[in-house]
Coordinates of all heavy atoms in Angstrom, one line a residue:
M182 N 0.8 -1.2 0.0 CA 0.0 0.0 0.0 C 0.9 1.2 0.0 O 2.0 1.2 0.5 CB -0.9 0.0 1.2 CG -1.9 -1.1 1.2 SD -3.4 -0.7 2.1 CE -2.9 -1.2 3.8
S183 N 0.4 2.3 -0.6 CA 1.1 3.5 -0.6 C 0.4 4.6 0.2 O -0.9 4.4 0.4 CB 1.4 4.0 -2.0 OG 0.1 4.3 -2.6
E184 N 1.1 5.6 0.6 CA 0.5 6.6 1.5 C 0.8 8.0 0.9 O 1.9 8.2 0.4 CB 1.0 6.4 2.9 CG 0.5 7.5 3.8 CD 0.6 7.1 5.3 OE1 1.0 5.9 5.6 OE2 0.3 7.9 6.2
K185 N -0.1 8.8 1.0 CA 0.0 10.2 0.5 C -0.4 11.2 1.6 O -1.5 11.0 2.2 CB -0.8 10.3 -0.7 CG -0.4 11.4 -1.7 CD -1.0 11.2 -3.0 CE -2.5 11.7 -3.1 NZ -3.0 11.7 -4.4
I186 N 0.4 12.2 1.9 CA -0.1 13.2 2.8 C -0.1 14.6 2.1 O 0.9 14.9 1.5 CB 0.9 13.3 4.0 CG1 0.9 11.9 4.7 CG2 0.4 14.3 5.0 CD1 1.9 11.8 5.9
N187 N -1.2 15.2 2.2 CA -1.4 16.5 1.5 C -1.7 17.6 2.5 O -2.4 17.3 3.5 CB -2.5 16.4 0.5 CG -2.1 15.7 -0.8 OD1 -2.3 14.5 -0.9 ND2 -1.5 16.4 -1.7
C188 N -1.3 18.8 2.3 CA -1.7 19.9 3.0 C -3.2 20.1 2.8 O -3.7 20.1 1.7 CB -1.0 21.2 2.6 SG -1.7 22.7 3.3
P189 N -4.0 20.2 3.9 CA -5.5 20.3 3.7 C -5.9 21.6 3.2 O -7.0 21.8 2.7 CB -6.0 20.1 5.2 CG -4.9 20.5 6.0 CD -3.6 20.2 5.3
K190 N -5.0 22.6 3.2 CA -5.4 23.9 2.7 C -5.1 24.2 1.3 O -5.9 24.5 0.5 CB -4.7 25.0 3.6 CG -5.3 26.3 3.4 CD -4.7 27.3 4.4 CE -5.3 28.7 4.2 NZ -4.6 29.7 4.9
C191 N -3.8 23.9 0.9 CA -3.4 24.2 -0.5 C -3.1 22.9 -1.3 O -2.9 23.0 -2.5 CB -2.1 25.1 -0.5 SG -0.6 24.2 0.0
G192 N -3.2 21.8 -0.6 CA -3.0 20.6 -1.4 C -1.6 20.2 -1.7 O -1.3 19.2 -2.4
M193 N -0.6 20.9 -1.1 CA 0.8 20.6 -1.3 C 1.1 19.2 -0.9 O 0.6 18.7 0.2 CB 1.6 21.6 -0.4 CG 3.0 21.2 -0.2 SD 4.1 22.0 -1.3 CE 5.7 21.3 -0.8
L194 N 1.8 18.4 -1.7 CA 2.1 17.1 -1.4 C 3.3 17.0 -0.4 O 4.4 17.5 -0.7 CB 2.5 16.3 -2.7 CG 2.9 14.9 -2.5 CD1 1.6 14.1 -2.2 CD2 3.4 14.3 -3.8
L195 N 3.0 16.5 0.8 CA 4.0 16.5 1.8 C 4.7 15.2 2.0 O 5.9 15.1 2.4 CB 3.3 16.8 3.2 CG 2.6 18.2 3.2 CD1 1.6 18.2 4.4 CD2 3.5 19.3 3.2
Y196 N 4.1 14.1 1.6 CA 4.7 12.8 1.6 C 4.0 11.9 0.6 O 2.8 11.9 0.5 CB 4.6 12.2 3.0 CG 5.1 10.8 3.1 CD1 6.5 10.6 3.3 CD2 4.3 9.7 2.9 CE1 7.0 9.3 3.3 CE2 4.8 8.4 2.9 CZ 6.1 8.2 3.1 OH 6.6 6.9 3.1
Y197 N 4.8 11.1 0.0 CA 4.3 10.1 -0.9 C 5.2 8.9 -0.9 O 6.4 9.1 -1.1 CB 4.0 10.6 -2.3 CG 3.5 9.5 -3.2 CD1 2.1 9.2 -3.1 CD2 4.2 8.9 -4.1 CE1 1.6 8.1 -3.8 CE2 3.7 7.9 -4.9 CZ 2.4 7.5 -4.8 OH 1.9 6.5 -5.5
G198 N 4.7 7.8 -0.6 CA 5.6 6.6 -0.6 C 4.9 5.4 0.0 O 3.7 5.4 0.1
E199 N 5.8 4.5 0.5 CA 5.2 3.4 1.2 C 4.4 3.8 2.4 O 4.8 4.8 3.0 CB 6.4 2.4 1.6 CG 6.9 1.5 0.6 CD 5.8 0.5 0.1 OE1 5.2 -0.2 0.9 OE2 5.5 0.5 -1.1
E200 N 3.5 3.0 2.7 CA 2.7 3.3 3.9 C 3.6 3.4 5.1 O 4.4 2.6 5.4 CB 1.7 2.2 4.1 CG 0.7 2.4 5.2 CD -0.2 1.2 5.4 OE1 -0.1 0.2 4.7 OE2 -0.9 1.2 6.3
I201 N 3.4 4.5 5.8 CA 4.4 4.8 6.9 C 4.3 3.8 8.0 O 5.3 3.4 8.6 CB 4.1 6.2 7.5 CG1 4.5 7.3 6.4 CG2 4.9 6.5 8.8 CD1 4.2 8.7 6.7
S202 N 3.2 3.3 8.3 CA 3.1 2.3 9.4 C 3.9 1.0 9.1 O 4.3 0.3 9.9 CB 1.6 1.9 9.7 OG 1.0 1.5 8.5
R203 N 4.1 0.8 7.8 CA 4.9 -0.3 7.3 C 6.3 0.0 7.5 O 7.1 -0.9 7.7 CB 4.5 -0.7 5.9 CG 3.2 -1.3 5.8 CD 3.0 -1.8 4.3 NE 2.4 -3.1 4.4 CZ 2.6 -4.1 3.5 NH1 3.4 -3.9 2.5 NH2 2.0 -5.2 3.6
R204 N 6.7 1.2 7.2 CA 8.1 1.6 7.3 C 8.6 1.7 8.7 O 9.8 1.6 8.9 CB 8.2 3.0 6.6 CG 7.9 3.0 5.2 CD 8.3 4.3 4.5 NE 9.7 4.4 4.3 CZ 10.3 5.1 3.3 NH1 9.5 5.7 2.4 NH2 11.6 5.1 3.1
L205 N 7.6 1.8 9.6 CA 8.0 1.7 11.0 C 9.0 0.6 11.3 O 9.9 0.8 12.0 CB 6.7 1.4 11.8 CG 6.0 2.6 12.5 CD1 4.8 2.0 13.2 CD2 6.9 3.2 13.6
Y206 N 8.6 -0.4 10.6 CA 9.4 -1.7 10.8 C 10.8 -1.6 10.2 O 11.7 -2.1 10.7 CB 8.4 -2.7 10.3 CG 9.0 -3.9 9.6 CD1 9.6 -4.9 10.4 CD2 9.0 -4.0 8.2 CE1 10.1 -6.0 9.8 CE2 9.5 -5.1 7.6 CZ 10.1 -6.1 8.4 OH 10.6 -7.2 7.8
M207 N 10.8 -0.8 9.2 CA 12.2 -0.6 8.5 C 12.9 0.6 9.2 O 14.0 0.9 8.9 CB 12.0 -0.3 7.0 CG 11.5 -1.5 6.3 SD 11.5 -1.2 4.5 CE 10.0 -0.3 4.3
R208 N 12.2 1.3 10.0 CA 12.7 2.4 10.7 C 13.2 3.6 9.8 O 14.0 4.3 10.1 CB 13.9 2.0 11.7 CG 13.3 1.2 12.8 CD 14.5 0.7 13.6 NE 14.0 -0.4 14.5 CZ 14.7 -1.3 15.1 NH1 16.0 -1.1 15.1 NH2 14.2 -2.2 15.8
A209 N 12.6 3.6 8.6 CA 12.9 4.6 7.7 C 12.3 6.0 8.1 O 12.9 7.0 8.2 CB 12.4 4.3 6.3
I210 N 11.0 5.9 8.5 CA 10.3 7.1 9.0 C 9.5 6.6 10.2 O 8.7 5.7 10.1 CB 9.3 7.6 7.8 CG1 10.1 8.1 6.7 CG2 8.4 8.7 8.4 CD1 9.3 8.6 5.5
P211 N 9.7 7.3 11.3 CA 9.0 6.9 12.5 C 7.5 6.9 12.4 O 6.8 5.9 12.7 CB 9.5 7.9 13.6 CG 10.8 8.4 13.0 CD 10.6 8.4 11.5
D212 N 7.0 8.0 12.0 CA 5.5 8.1 11.8 C 5.2 9.4 11.1 O 6.0 10.2 10.7 CB 4.8 8.0 13.2 CG 5.3 9.1 14.2 OD1 5.9 10.1 13.7 OD2 5.1 8.9 15.4
E213 N 3.9 9.6 10.9 CA 3.4 10.8 10.2 C 3.9 12.1 10.9 O 4.2 13.0 10.2 CB 1.9 10.8 10.1 CG 1.3 9.9 9.1 CD 1.0 8.5 9.6 OE1 1.4 8.2 10.7 OE2 0.5 7.7 8.8
A214 N 3.9 12.1 12.2 CA 4.3 13.3 12.9 C 5.7 13.7 12.6 O 6.0 14.9 12.5 CB 4.1 13.0 14.4
A215 N 6.5 12.7 12.4 CA 7.9 12.9 12.0 C 8.0 13.5 10.6 O 8.9 14.4 10.4 CB 8.8 11.7 12.1
V216 N 7.2 13.1 9.7 CA 7.2 13.7 8.4 C 6.8 15.2 8.5 O 7.4 16.0 7.9 CB 6.1 13.0 7.5 CG1 6.0 13.7 6.2 CG2 6.5 11.5 7.3
L217 N 5.8 15.5 9.3 CA 5.3 16.9 9.5 C 6.4 17.7 10.2 O 6.6 18.9 9.9 CB 4.0 16.9 10.3 CG 2.9 16.1 9.6 CD1 1.6 16.2 10.5 CD2 2.6 16.5 8.2
A218 N 7.1 17.1 11.1 CA 8.1 17.8 11.9 C 9.3 18.1 10.9 O 9.9 19.2 11.1 CB 8.7 16.9 13.0
G219 N 9.4 17.3 9.9 CA 10.4 17.6 8.8 C 10.1 18.9 8.1 O 11.0 19.5 7.5
Y220 N 8.9 19.3 8.2 CA 8.5 20.6 7.6 C 8.4 21.7 8.6 O 7.9 22.8 8.4 CB 7.2 20.5 6.8 CG 7.2 19.6 5.6 CD1 6.8 18.3 5.7 CD2 7.7 20.1 4.4 CE1 6.9 17.5 4.5 CE2 7.7 19.3 3.3 CZ 7.3 18.0 3.3 OH 7.4 17.2 2.2
G221 N 8.8 21.4 9.8 CA 8.6 22.3 10.9 C 7.2 22.5 11.3 O 6.8 23.5 11.9
N222 N 6.4 21.5 11.0 CA 4.9 21.5 11.3 C 4.2 22.6 10.6 O 3.1 22.9 11.1 CB 4.7 21.4 12.8 CG 5.1 20.1 13.4 OD1 4.8 19.1 12.9 ND2 6.0 20.2 14.5
V223 N 4.7 23.2 9.6 CA 4.0 24.1 8.8 C 4.2 23.8 7.3 O 5.2 23.3 6.9 CB 4.4 25.6 9.0 CG1 4.0 26.1 10.4 CG2 5.9 25.8 8.8
C224 N 3.1 24.0 6.6 CA 3.2 23.8 5.2 C 4.2 24.8 4.5 O 4.1 26.0 4.7 CB 1.8 24.0 4.5 SG 1.8 23.9 2.7
P225 N 5.1 24.2 3.7 CA 6.1 25.1 3.1 C 5.5 26.0 2.1 O 6.1 27.1 1.7 CB 7.1 24.1 2.5 CG 6.4 22.9 2.4 CD 5.4 22.8 3.5
R226 N 4.4 25.7 1.6 CA 3.8 26.5 0.5 C 2.9 27.6 1.1 O 3.0 28.8 0.7 CB 3.0 25.7 -0.5 CG 2.5 26.5 -1.6 CD 1.5 25.7 -2.5 NE 2.2 24.7 -3.3 CZ 1.6 23.8 -4.0 NH1 0.3 23.6 -3.9 NH2 2.2 22.9 -4.8
C227 N 2.0 27.2 2.0 CA 1.0 28.2 2.4 C 1.1 28.5 3.9 O 0.4 29.4 4.4 CB -0.4 27.7 2.1 SG -1.0 26.3 3.2
G228 N 1.9 27.9 4.6 CA 2.1 28.2 6.0 C 1.1 27.7 7.0 O 1.1 28.0 8.2
F229 N 0.2 26.8 6.5 CA -0.8 26.2 7.3 C -0.1 25.3 8.4 O 0.8 24.6 8.1 CB -1.7 25.4 6.4 CG -2.9 24.8 7.1 CD1 -4.0 25.5 7.4 CD2 -2.8 23.4 7.6 CE1 -5.1 25.0 8.0 CE2 -3.9 22.9 8.2 CZ -5.1 23.7 8.5
S230 N -0.7 25.4 9.6 CA -0.1 24.6 10.7 C -0.5 23.2 10.5 O -1.7 22.8 10.4 CB -0.7 25.2 12.0 OG -0.2 24.4 13.1
L231 N 0.5 22.3 10.4 CA 0.3 20.9 10.1 C 0.2 20.1 11.4 O 1.1 20.2 12.3 CB 1.4 20.4 9.2 CG 1.6 21.1 7.9 CD1 2.8 20.5 7.2 CD2 0.4 20.9 7.0
S232 N -0.7 19.2 11.5 CA -0.7 18.2 12.6 C -1.3 16.9 12.0 O -2.0 16.9 11.0 CB -1.5 18.7 13.7 OG -2.9 18.5 13.5
V233 N -1.0 15.8 12.7 CA -1.5 14.5 12.2 C -3.0 14.5 12.0 O -3.5 13.9 11.1 CB -1.1 13.4 13.2 CG1 -1.7 12.1 12.8 CG2 0.5 13.3 13.1
D234 N -3.7 15.3 12.8 CA -5.1 15.4 12.7 C -5.6 16.3 11.6 O -6.7 16.2 11.1 CB -5.7 15.8 14.1 CG -5.5 14.8 15.1 OD1 -5.6 13.6 14.8 OD2 -5.3 15.1 16.3
S235 N -4.8 17.3 11.3 CA -5.3 18.3 10.3 C -4.9 17.9 8.9 O -5.6 18.3 7.9 CB -4.8 19.7 10.6 OG -3.4 19.8 10.4
V236 N -3.9 17.2 8.7 CA -3.4 16.9 7.3 C -4.3 15.8 6.7 O -5.0 15.1 7.4 CB -2.0 16.5 7.2 CG1 -1.0 17.6 7.6 CG2 -1.7 15.2 8.0
K237 N -4.3 15.8 5.4 CA -5.1 14.8 4.6 C -4.2 13.6 4.4 O -3.2 13.7 3.6 CB -5.5 15.4 3.3 CG -6.6 14.7 2.7 CD -7.0 15.5 1.4 CE -7.6 14.5 0.4 NZ -7.6 15.1 -0.9
I238 N -4.5 12.5 5.0 CA -3.7 11.3 4.8 C -4.5 10.3 4.0 O -5.6 10.0 4.4 CB -3.3 10.7 6.2 CG1 -2.4 11.7 7.0 CG2 -2.5 9.4 6.0 CD1 -2.0 11.2 8.4
E239 N -3.9 9.9 2.9 CA -4.6 9.0 2.1 C -3.8 7.7 1.9 O -2.6 7.7 1.5 CB -4.8 9.6 0.7 CG -5.8 9.0 -0.2 CD -5.9 9.8 -1.5 OE1 -6.0 11.1 -1.4 OE2 -6.0 9.2 -2.5
I240 N -4.4 6.6 2.2 CA -3.7 5.3 2.1 C -4.4 4.5 1.0 O -5.6 4.3 1.0 CB -3.7 4.5 3.4 CG1 -2.8 5.3 4.4 CG2 -3.1 3.2 3.2 CD1 -2.8 4.7 5.8
K241 N -3.6 4.1 0.0 CA -4.2 3.4 -1.1 C -3.6 2.0 -1.2 O -2.4 1.8 -1.1 CB -3.8 4.2 -2.4 CG -4.7 5.4 -2.7 CD -4.4 5.9 -4.1 CE -5.3 7.1 -4.3 NZ -4.9 7.8 -5.5
R242 N -4.5 1.2 -1.5 CA -4.1 -0.2 -1.8 C -3.6 -0.3 -3.2 O -4.0 0.5 -4.1 CB -5.3 -1.1 -1.7 CG -5.8 -1.3 -0.3 CD -7.2 -1.9 -0.3 NE -7.8 -1.7 1.0 CZ -7.6 -2.5 2.1 NH1 -6.8 -3.5 2.0 NH2 -8.2 -2.3 3.2
R243 N -2.7 -1.2 -3.4 CA -2.3 -1.4 -4.8 C -3.4 -2.0 -5.6 O -4.3 -2.6 -5.1 CB -1.1 -2.5 -4.8 CG 0.1 -1.9 -4.3 CD 1.3 -2.8 -4.5 NE 2.3 -2.6 -3.6 CZ 3.1 -1.6 -3.6 NH1 3.0 -0.7 -4.5 NH2 4.1 -1.4 -2.7
A244 N -3.3 -1.7 -6.9 CA -4.4 -2.1 -7.8 C -4.3 -3.6 -8.1 O -3.9 -4.0 -9.1 CB -4.4 -1.3 -9.0
T245 N -4.6 -4.4 -7.1 CA -4.5 -5.9 -7.3 C -5.9 -6.5 -7.2 O -6.0 -7.7 -7.1 CB -3.6 -6.5 -6.2 OG1 -4.1 -6.0 -4.9 CG2 -2.2 -6.1 -6.3
S246 N -6.9 -5.6 -7.3 CA -8.2 -6.1 -7.3 C -8.5 -7.1 -8.5 O -8.0 -6.9 -9.6 CB -9.2 -5.0 -7.5 OG -10.5 -5.4 -7.8
K247 N -9.1 -8.2 -8.1 CA -9.4 -9.2 -9.2 C -10.7 -9.0 -9.9 O -11.2 -9.8 -10.6 CB -9.3 -10.6 -8.6 CG -7.8 -10.9 -8.3 CD -7.7 -12.3 -7.6 CE -6.2 -12.5 -7.3 NZ -6.0 -13.7 -6.4
G248 N -11.2 -7.8 -9.6 CA -12.4 -7.4 -10.3 C -13.6 -8.3 -10.1 O -14.3 -8.8 -11.1
G249 N -13.9 -8.6 -8.9 CA -15.1 -9.4 -8.6 C -15.1 -10.8 -9.1 O -16.0 -11.4 -9.6
V250 N -13.9 -11.4 -8.9 CA -13.9 -12.9 -9.1 C -14.7 -13.6 -8.0 O -14.5 -13.3 -6.9 CB -12.4 -13.4 -9.1 CG1 -12.3 -14.9 -9.1 CG2 -11.6 -12.8 -10.2
T251 N -15.5 -14.5 -8.5 CA -16.3 -15.2 -7.5 C -15.8 -16.6 -7.3 O -15.2 -17.2 -8.2 CB -17.7 -15.2 -7.9 OG1 -17.8 -15.7 -9.3 CG2 -18.4 -13.9 -7.9
H252 N -16.0 -17.0 -6.1 CA -15.7 -18.4 -5.8 C -16.7 -19.3 -6.5 O -17.8 -18.9 -6.7 CB -15.8 -18.7 -4.3 CG -14.5 -18.4 -3.6 ND1 -13.4 -19.2 -3.6 CD2 -14.1 -17.3 -2.9 CE1 -12.4 -18.7 -2.9 NE2 -12.8 -17.5 -2.5
G253 N -16.3 -20.5 -6.7 CA -17.3 -21.4 -7.3 C -16.7 -22.5 -8.0 O -15.4 -22.5 -8.1
S254 N -17.4 -23.4 -8.5 CA -16.9 -24.6 -9.1 C -16.3 -24.2 -10.4 O -16.8 -23.8 -11.4 CB -18.0 -25.6 -9.3 OG -19.1 -25.0 -9.9
Ligands
ZN104 ZN1 -0.4 24.3 2.3

């Protein structure tokens, strides 16, 4: 799964990559708060105050849908 974090105000892309909770395990990025801290907790474009609760976090599954395959004989 991939994860995307956008500024809720101007839509600036703040993070895009592997789902952060999965990276926890690789210790690449501790958590979303650390990503925001990397920006000083403010959006570099519009200055909006960023917090884990205010940003737009979108987690997407990979497109592995089998398109409604049904079980059956
Ligand atoms: Zn912004």
Side-chain angles (χ1 to χ4, degrees):
M182 293 209 272
S183 65
E184 178 163 354
K185 205 163 80 167
I186 302 177
N187 285 93
C188 171
K190 195 173 177 191
C191 71
M193 167 96 180
L194 183 67
L195 301 168
Y196 174 85
Y197 179 75
E199 275 299 305
E200 187 186 354
I201 291 172
S202 59
R203 288 186 138 214
R204 295 187 81 150
L205 258 178
Y206 147 77
M207 294 188 276
R208 291 175 197 165
I210 295 179
D212 54 23
E213 282 89 352
V216 173
L217 304 179
Y220 291 99
N222 294 310
V223 289
C224 174
R226 186 191 283 169
C227 72
F229 185 83
S230 178
L231 304 172
S232 76
V233 174
D234 293 326
S235 71
V236 294
K237 196 176 150 200
I238 299 176
E239 197 178 315
I240 295 176
K241 280 189 182 171
R242 290 166 196 278
R243 285 190 206 288
T245 50
S246 163
K247 286 177 185 169
V250 169
T251 50
H252 272 283
S254 47

